[in-house]
Amino acid sequence: MFIIGLLFIKFSSGLEIDVNTFSNYLDVQNKHIHFEWLLNIEKKQINATANYKFHVAGSSINKICLDIKDLNIYSVYMDNGHLLHHIIDYPYVNSDQGQRLNILLNREYRRGEIIMLSIKYSIDSRSESVSFMNVSQTSTKSMPFLFTQCEDAYCRSLAPLQDTPAIKQTYSASIIYKNTEATDVFMSADESQEQFKIQNHPQIDPNFTWKYKYFIQKIPIPSYLIAIVAGNLKKVPTSNGDRTFLISEPDKINEYKEELKDMEQFLQAIEQYIGPYTWGTYTIVILPPSFPYGAMENPLLTFASPTIMTKTGSGLYVAIHEMAHSWFGNTITCVNWGNMWINEGFTVFLERKASSFYYKVPDDIKLNAIIGNASMYADILNFGPDSNFTSLHPDTTGINPQLSISDVPYEKGFQFLTFLEGIIGEEDFKFMLRSYLATYMYKSIDQQELQSFIIRYLYEQRVDNYSTKRYQILEHWDSWIFQPGLPPIRLDFSTNKLIETQQYTTSYILADGRQPDHYDDYFNFYPSQKKVFLEELFKKAQNKELKQQVIHQIDEDLKLTDENDYELKFRWFKAILTAGDRTRFTKISDFLGSVGTCEISCPVYQALNELDHEFAVQTFRTHQEFYHQIVRQSIKRILEKNSQIQQ
C-alpha cells in the first residue's frame, strides 16, 4: 500500500512525526519542567511560572518553538536572568490548534547541550484544558472547584509545552492556593516531601490563608497526562492494603468507597495477566458531572465521571479500563494521535482480559465486545465509511486531532489485537505483550515499530510455525491499519446470551404493547446484556419497528426513564427518540443537563436533533454553561445550524 502524507514522514529515530504540534521537538527536547502555579479559582485565573530543562537533539538550534493556546505570555528568560525575545504566530489560523511560541535564544546551541529557561505566563477562563467551576456547580456547595483535561492536544492551554505524545518529561510543581477555595489539591504526581523554592510569594491577606503543596513525577510522561484537581476534596483508601485510593467531595465519599471497595482486586486481576504495576499507588478521583469523558487515565490520579457510580457496580469496567492504561498509554504511548489505537486498543484488550479473570463470566466479555462493535459502527456511519477517520491511522494534518476521536481506535484496535492473538496463540501472545512492555517501557512508538517488534519477538522465541504466522500477520497488517470502514475480517463474538437477549427484545415487539411472558428476566441480565437489549431496541427503532405502545409498555415494566445507570438511560433515550417518541422531552432535557460526559450526552443530542432540531437547540442553550468546552464544541457540531446556537 502506497501512502502519501505528512503523517507518515519519519524522524531520526525512525518513528512517524506528530503533525499536531508546532514545536521543534525533533531538534530540542524537554526533559523536565517545574511549575509554580498560584491558583485563584473564584476569579478563574492561574498565575504561573514554568522552568524548563531542554536537551539539544539536532545538530544545532537558535530557537525553541513551543505549543500554546490562549495563554498570556509575559516574559521568557534564561536561568541567569537574561531576557529572551519571543514571537507568537499562527501556523494554522483556522485549525483550532492554538499558536506557536517562538523563543529566540541568546546564541547557537549544539547537539548535547542543555538549555535552562523560564516562562512567566497566566491562565484564564479561555483555557480549554482548565475547568473553573463555581460553588453552585459542586456537590457540597461550599467551595469552587478546578480540574484539568489535557488529552489529546489541550495541554498547550495549560502551559507552553511540546504538546505531543512523542515527548516524555518528568515534572514537579509548587501549588499555592487559598484555604477558602480548596481544602486540598492533587496532581498526576507523588506528593513531594521536598519544599521547592518559591519564586513569587503571594501577598498576605487577612481574609484567607495561602496554602502550599509540592509534587514530583519521576517517571517521564507526555504532556497530555499532566493534571491537577482542587476543591473541597477528601482522600481515603478504597480497600485493604495501601495501593488504591479514592478522592471526591466529602459528602459522596462513603457511597463511592463502598462501590469501589474491590479496586485492589481489579489491580491484581490486571497484574495476573500482564505483570506488576510499576507506578506505586493508584488513585481515582470522582469529579463533578461536567467532566467531559467517562474517565481519564492521568497517572496516579485517574479522573472519572460520577456516571460510573451506578450503585450496582455496572460502571466499574471504566475503572478497570483506566487502570489498564497504567500499562498501555501511560507506560507505552502512541507517538502521535494517528496511532491512538496503540493506547486505546491495547487498553480495551487488557481491560477485557482482566475482567475475565476477575468476573469469570466469558459471555459478559463477548457481550461487551458486541456493544463496543455497535458503538464503533455508529461512529463509522457518522464519519462515513470511506473517511480516513474510520481507519486505525487517521490523518489529522492541519486540524485539531479531537475531530478524529471516536470508538474506532478502541474497538477496531481491540479486534485487531484479538485477530493477532488468534494467529500467535493465547499464551504466546500474553508473554509477547509482557516483553513488549519491558522493551518499550516509558517510550513512545508507532504502528510500524510495533509490527517490527512482533515479528522479531516471534523469531527470537522460535515459536511454532513462525513462517506461517509471520506471513499471516504481514498479509493483513496494512488492511487493518490503513483501510477505512469496518474491520477487514469479521470476528466471532457470538454467545447464547446474545441470542437470548435478541429473543427477549423480539418478544416485546411481537407483544405490540402488551406485557410479554418472562418480561422480568431483564432484572437478572448481566449489565452487558441490558446494554445489548437497548442496542437491539435502537436497531428496531431505526427499522421503524419500535412502536409507541411498545415503548410505553417497556417503560412501565422496566422503568428505564427513571433508571439510575447512565449507560442504560442514554441508550434508552437514544432508542425512543429514534422511534419518534416526544412524550419524554422534559425528562430527556433534565437528563442532558445532569451529565457532561460526551459518550453519553452526544448520542442523545444526535437522536434529539434528528427528531426535533428546535428543541435540541433549546436544550443546549439551557445547559451549555454546564458542559466542558470540549463537549460544548462536540454538541455544536451535532446541532449543525450553528447560527442558531449562542456562541
Side-chain angles (χ1 to χ4, degrees), residues 80-98:
N80 62 6
H82 178 80
L83 282 174
L84 298 175
H85 185 56
H86 67 272
I87 300 169
I88 296 173
D89 61 11
Y90 299 77
Y92 292 120
V93 176
N94 298 317
S95 74
D96 191 34
Q97 293 187 86

Side-chain angles (χ1 to χ4, degrees), residues 4-5 49 86 92 145 189 207 223 269 403-404 426 447 475 546 550 569:
I4 299 177
T49 301
H86 67 272
Y92 292 120
F145 202 93
N207 297 311
S223 57
L403 295 174
S404 72
E426 191 169 0
Q447 56 84 25
E475 179 187 20
L546 184 58
V550 176
K569 198 167 187 174

Side-chain angles (χ1 to χ4, degrees), residues 505-558:
T505 308
T506 301
S507 72
Y508 262 110
I509 300 300
L510 294 177
D512 198 28
R514 299 182 303 276
Q515 187 180 83
D517 294 336
H518 309 297
Y519 79 94
D520 53 353
D521 286 354
Y522 175 86
F523 301 107
N524 295 317
F525 279 0
Y526 300 140
S528 54
Q529 261 185 293
K530 294 179 179 179
K531 294 176 188 176
V532 169
F533 163 62
L534 292 167
E535 290 295 340
E536 290 295 317
L537 281 183
F538 176 60
K539 291 179 187 177
K540 299 294 185 185
Q542 289 178 308
N543 294 329
K544 311 299 183 186
E545 298 176 54
L546 184 58
K547 299 177 182 178
Q548 295 303 303
Q549 61 265 32
V550 176
I551 292 171
H552 175 76
Q553 186 63 51
I554 292 173
D555 209 13
E556 185 174 300
D557 292 343
L558 308 182

Side-chain angles (χ1 to χ4, degrees), residues 298-324:
N298 309 307
L300 305 175
L301 198 74
T302 288
F303 285 173
S305 164
T307 58
I308 76 168
M309 297 287 101
T310 63
K311 300 181 181 179
T312 65
S314 62
L316 296 184
Y317 75 94
V318 176
I320 297 176
H321 179 91
E322 300 311 321
M323 281 184 172

Side-chain angles (χ1 to χ4, degrees), residues 388-427:
N388 175 258
F389 288 175
T390 67
S391 78
L392 285 181
H393 210 290
D395 185 350
T396 56
T397 304
I399 63 169
N400 189 326
Q402 178 68 29
L403 295 174
S404 72
I405 300 301
S406 71
D407 276 334
V408 171
Y410 295 77
E411 298 298 336
K412 199 173 187 178
F414 161 75
Q415 292 189 30
F416 182 32
L417 293 170
T418 303
F419 170 76
L420 292 175
E421 182 188 43
I423 294 173
I424 295 168
E426 191 169 0
E427 276 297 295

Side-chain angles (χ1 to χ4, degrees), residues 268-303:
Q268 290 175 12
I270 300 173
E271 289 178 312
Q272 183 180 346
Y273 179 80
I274 202 65
Y277 178 75
T278 63
W279 294 81
T281 60
Y282 180 88
T283 299
I284 188 167
V285 186
I286 307 299
L287 290 170
S290 63
F291 184 61
Y293 300 118
M296 177 62 207
E297 65 270 17
N298 309 307
L300 305 175
L301 198 74
T302 288
F303 285 173

Side-chain angles (χ1 to χ4, degrees), residues 19 24 33 36 150 182 210 221 241 324 376 442 503 530 601 635:
V19 297
N24 56 340
I33 184 168
E36 183 176 302
C150 286
W210 289 109
I221 62 172
M376 175 186 69
Y442 310 134
Q503 291 173 342
K530 294 179 179 179
S601 60
I635 297 171

